[in-house]
Amino acid sequence: MDQPQKQPVIIGNWKMYKTIEEAVSFVNKLAPEIKESKAAVYLAVPYTAIKSVVEAVKGTSIVVGGQNMNDATQGAFTGEIAVRMLLDLGAHFVLLGHSERRRFFHEDDAFINRKVDRALTDGLQPILCVGETAEERDQGKTEEVLTRQLKECLNNIDPSRIDSLMIAYEPVWAIGTGKIATTEQAQAMHQFCRHWIQETYGPQASAQLKILYGGSVTPENAAEMLKQADIDGLLVGGASLSVESFSQIITSTS
Ligand code: PEP
């Protein structure tokens, strides 16, 4: 019997790019291009553009979210943003633990864990990013790193809440480098993460949890990646900045 076709999740991460005007113009052009697509399309946009993009995508199925948040509900944390502020703007999800946050802003697994907990408690869907550096892979530590990140970032997260989040496996050496993981490498790590979820949270959670691949995804390699059994979607950085390449990725995969 044929397997039912999976609905891929494609997330664009705009990082620190696009003014409000650029962001709105982008989604106005993107929406008609992807109208027929079956993919669930998410956009992680800069805070300043969230509200305008939420307005602009009304009537489409595009889901808008943020790229980071603080773990506190509110307080004296200059420059930070709280879940309820993201919700105020109309955000539905948030990227957490992106390697750029870990590397440039020294976020550790314990802090990311508190954010995952806060996002789930206050009603924002977390997309938890994990992945090894080139050095860790060369030293044969990929599985050890993924186990530590999953264990610590999901510490004390109740099984009943686990299917509200998604995991993005993003090998750090593949982010923004043009050096995508092979489909075999990616599938093996997705299978590893899914197995960890199964051991920790049981078979139902492992079957339901979406695990996305991120790192140098382009229109040329997206469809092949998504054919892998344990790859449920893609997190796209650079190639999500142009309507042409992002829409090609979305339409090539669904
Ligand atoms: C990312 O920022 O999460 C990412 C995967 O970037 P890129 O697609 O540019 O490698």
Side-chain angles (χ1 to χ4, degrees):
M1 207 171 73
D2 282 349
Q3 291 288 324
Q5 224 199 341
K6 57 186 178 187
Q7 183 196 28
V9 178
I10 313 289
I11 305 182
N13 173 18
W14 284 354
K15 314 193 185 198
M16 200 172 71
Y17 292 98
K18 297 195 191 297
T19 61
I20 297 173
E21 196 183 329
E22 289 162 350
V24 169
S25 154
F26 181 102
V27 289
N28 285 341
K29 288 189 194 129
L30 179 73
E33 297 289 329
I34 60 167
K35 224 171 41 204
E36 309 298 328
S37 160
K38 303 269 181 300
V41 177
Y42 286 43
L43 276 176
V45 312
Y47 304 133
T48 47
I50 292 177
K51 197 175 166 73
S52 306
V53 172
V54 166
E55 280 294 317
V57 300
K58 272 195 184 136
T60 77
S61 55
I62 297 170
V63 182
V64 183
Q67 302 171 12
N68 183 33
M69 49 162 265
N70 192 268
D71 64 316
T73 44
Q74 59 181 1
F77 301 106
T78 303
E80 288 293 90
I81 193 159
V83 176
R84 63 199 199 103
M85 296 167 185
L86 289 171
L87 291 170
D88 238 7
L89 297 169
H92 284 279
F93 74 95
V94 63
L95 301 181
L96 294 179
H98 191 282
S99 67
E100 286 153 15
R101 299 293 321 168
R102 293 175 188 261
R103 180 169 165 218
F104 299 125
F105 303 98
H106 313 293
E107 294 192 5
D108 62 13
D109 292 323
F111 186 36
I112 296 161
N113 173 238
R114 294 198 300 277
K115 296 193 205 201
V116 171
D117 190 21
R118 170 64 54 210
L120 288 170
T121 303
D122 291 359
L124 205 53
Q125 180 179 33
I127 317 292
L128 170 65
C129 305
V130 295
E132 80 288 0
T133 62
E135 199 184 5
E136 289 162 341
R137 177 165 278 265
D138 292 346
Q139 291 170 352
K141 291 186 176 159
T142 302
E143 296 188 356
E144 186 189 318
V145 169
L146 291 181
T147 304
R148 191 203 67 228
Q149 292 178 340
L150 289 169
K151 193 164 168 231
E152 294 186 11
C153 295
L154 296 176
N155 184 32
N156 284 328
I157 301 299
D158 193 79
S160 65
R161 303 198 290 170
I162 204 73
D163 58 2
S164 305
L165 58 81
M166 291 193 244
I167 289 173
Y169 168 61
E170 298 206 294
V172 180
W173 46 272
I175 297 182
T177 58
K179 195 176 158 204
I180 191 169
T182 64
T183 48
E184 291 78 17
Q185 284 171 327
Q187 164 58 22
M189 291 308 105
H190 280 238
Q191 195 174 27
F192 179 81
C193 293
R194 200 175 298 286
H195 184 250
W196 187 89
I197 293 288
Q198 173 157 347
E199 294 287 291
T200 313
Y201 291 101
Q204 198 184 336
S206 115
Q208 276 174 5
L209 191 91
K210 301 237 185 231
I211 308 179
L212 320 183
Y213 169 81
S216 296
V217 171
T218 63
E220 289 71 41
N221 55 38
E224 211 42 47
M225 244 337 150
L226 268 182
K227 281 187 195 151
Q228 309 309 307
D230 289 293
I231 301 187
D232 303 309
L234 303 167
L235 177 48
V236 187
S240 73
L241 291 171
S242 117
V243 173
E244 197 186 355
S245 53
F246 196 47
S247 63
Q248 278 173 16
I249 289 173
I250 294 163
T251 50
S252 75
T253 54
S254 54

